[in-house]
Amino acid sequence: MKKKFYVMRHGRSLANEAELIVSSLNQGSEHWGLAEGSQKQISDSVASSGLPKELTIVSSPFLRARETAQIVSKLLKMSPVRIEEGLRERFFGKWDGVRDDSYREVWVSDERNPDNRNGGVESPSDVLKRVLEVLERIEASDGPDAVLLVSHGDPLNILLAHAAGLGAENHRRIDGMKTAEIRPLCFEGASSLGK
């Protein structure tokens, strides 16, 4: 890849505080933004991240991610944030709107099958495909050589598992992204954007 990618999970959100799964595009785009105190969490993360001075910021359309990206953009005095629907939260089907301890049930099924769609959930394979398509579009575009992707836990963990050479179904076997965490995206075990 020509560009250097960094990934960032959104800051602590109202959904995190309510311990709810909010994964539908309609709900997530309009509601459930950042929780109180998230700005400091994001500022601290950016300050210790070592992000380059020239950077394109690309965000999920979900409110919690957009607000995070806008804070980062303001802190770094960057141009407007680009929105990519492919960075949206993973859709959790029948678990959307329920307590977040239900994630475990989905993740157990994921480990058995990367194409897990039980209960209408978006499969790890499908999530990886759409996120890699975003990276391909960005890679082919003009702009700075560094890119920050602001997204959500499952999409980023699935991408990181792929980059480490693990299957998408193994996204719980990596050190998961914490809220407001920033990491460089390094393709160690995968052939770059190869699917």
Side-chain angles (χ1 to χ4, degrees):
M1 288 192 314
K2 297 176 296 181
K3 295 187 187 284
K4 173 68 177 170
F5 287 91
Y6 297 84
V7 294
M8 180 178 194
R9 185 176 172 196
H10 61 78
R12 185 153 180 82
S13 71
L14 294 170
N16 296 136
E17 295 214 332
E19 299 179 341
L20 288 176
I21 297 174
V22 177
S23 67
S24 74
L25 189 56
N26 288 344
Q27 278 293 312
S29 294
E30 300 297 322
H31 308 286
W32 302 98
L34 293 176
E36 190 174 325
S38 292
Q39 181 149 357
K40 179 173 179 355
Q41 179 192 39
I42 294 162
S43 296
D44 290 348
S45 186
V46 169
S48 64
S49 69
L51 287 172
K53 294 186 188 311
E54 294 251 352
L55 185 71
T56 298
I57 302 172
V58 185
S59 175
S60 155
F62 276 54
L63 183 59
R64 56 195 184 251
R66 287 192 334 259
E67 289 177 343
T68 299
Q70 288 162 353
I71 291 168
V72 173
S73 178
K74 187 174 181 180
L75 288 168
L76 297 177
K77 298 177 176 71
M78 294 289 162
S79 58
V81 173
R82 177 173 154 188
I83 303 299
E84 277 280 355
E85 190 173 319
L87 295 177
R88 70 187 179 277
E89 175 65 280
R90 178 184 185 186
F91 182 61
F92 280 90
K94 74 177 188 178
W95 291 276
D96 185 53
V98 303
R99 290 191 50 85
D100 63 7
D101 56 4
S102 299
Y103 281 131
R104 285 186 207 93
E105 187 177 342
V106 174
W107 294 335
V108 166
S109 295
D110 288 350
E111 284 190 1
R112 291 192 291 259
N113 179 11
D115 297 316
N116 168 38
R117 292 184 182 91
N118 295 341
V121 72
E122 185 180 14
S123 76
S125 295
D126 289 341
V127 172
L128 178 61
K129 180 179 182 228
R130 69 171 158 85
V131 173
L132 288 176
E133 287 171 355
V134 170
L135 268 67
E136 289 171 355
R137 280 194 299 277
I138 294 169
E139 181 71 9
S141 68
D142 294 331
D145 289 338
V147 179
L148 176 66
L149 305 173
V150 182
S151 187
H152 308 268
D154 266 33
L156 293 177
N157 292 335
I158 289 167
L159 176 61
L160 289 167
H162 169 74
L166 305 171
E169 70 275 15
N170 294 310
H171 62 93
R172 299 309 299 169
R173 294 188 184 192
I174 62 163
D175 185 21
M177 294 285 294
K178 295 167 184 54
T179 55
E181 182 181 0
I182 299 171
R183 292 186 197 174
L185 178 61
C186 303
F187 286 92
E188 300 161 8
S191 58
S192 190
L193 297 177
K195 298 172 191 164

